[in-house]
Amino acid sequence: MSEARVCDAAHSREDFVRIGQLASRAGVSVRSVRYYEEQGLLTSARSPSGQRHYTDDEVERVAFIQRLYAAGLSSRTIIELLPCVDTPSEDNSDAALERMAQERDRLSAHIADLVRTRVTLDTLMDAARAHREGLSTAVAC
């Protein structure tokens, strides 16, 4: 779980958005925001009363996380890619590209498995139709 920052006097109340505002602006549920924080994908500052506060930058980060999930990546993989965003460098960029290529290869293999499975199912359906047609012909005699 990520460590929360404590809101300090250097930031005014207007510099932060609450969890509901972040969720609304990013187009996700509050539950998703909490999950991202639990997974270490997102951090919040805490008010003295313990409320989560986020900066405007987190709105863009949540949108980015959503795009990565939409690409079929797991939270474990996403956390491996975040150094490219948090501390951009050629090494981090190369590592992120390599990791994304590995995920693409994994997805391609999964797609190939699904196509083989569909072909097998099509073959079984053809056999079932032929069997059913044989039953219809036998009943008609």
Side-chain angles (χ1 to χ4, degrees):
M1 180 129 120
S2 62
E3 247 181 71
R5 305 178 309 266
V6 176
C7 296
D8 59 22
H11 291 91
S12 71
R13 201 174 245 279
E14 294 80 36
D15 290 339
F16 294 103
V17 294
R18 289 185 172 165
I19 191 168
Q21 294 166 309
L22 172 65
S24 176
R25 288 172 57 189
V28 299
S29 68
V30 168
R31 184 172 182 242
S32 291
V33 174
R34 285 190 184 113
Y35 176 78
Y36 299 161
E37 197 168 337
E38 288 169 7
Q39 296 301 306
L41 304 173
L42 186 66
T43 59
S44 65
R46 295 293 180 135
S47 70
S49 64
Q51 290 181 326
R52 289 176 170 96
H53 288 174
Y54 302 90
T55 65
D56 285 334
D57 292 338
E58 267 77 40
V59 175
E60 179 59 33
R61 186 178 186 96
V62 169
F64 178 65
I65 291 168
Q66 283 293 110
R67 289 192 303 275
L68 294 171
Y69 275 123
L73 303 179
S74 68
S75 57
R76 181 179 295 160
T77 301
I78 293 170
I79 206 157
E80 292 177 34
L81 300 176
L82 290 177
C84 185
V85 175
D86 297 336
T87 52
S89 70
E90 285 185 22
D91 287 342
N92 286 341
S93 181
D94 290 344
L97 286 167
E98 175 61 28
R99 187 65 178 102
M100 286 187 283
Q102 291 169 358
E103 283 301 305
R104 188 178 192 289
D105 291 345
R106 181 189 64 79
L107 288 171
S108 294
H110 186 63
I111 290 167
D113 287 343
L114 288 172
V115 168
R116 281 190 294 276
T117 301
R118 185 180 62 201
V119 168
T120 301
L121 182 57
D122 288 343
T123 303
L124 289 170
M125 289 172 68
D126 289 343
R129 282 186 191 104
H131 178 72
R132 186 174 187 285
E133 192 171 306
L135 291 175
S136 298
T137 306
V139 171
C141 293

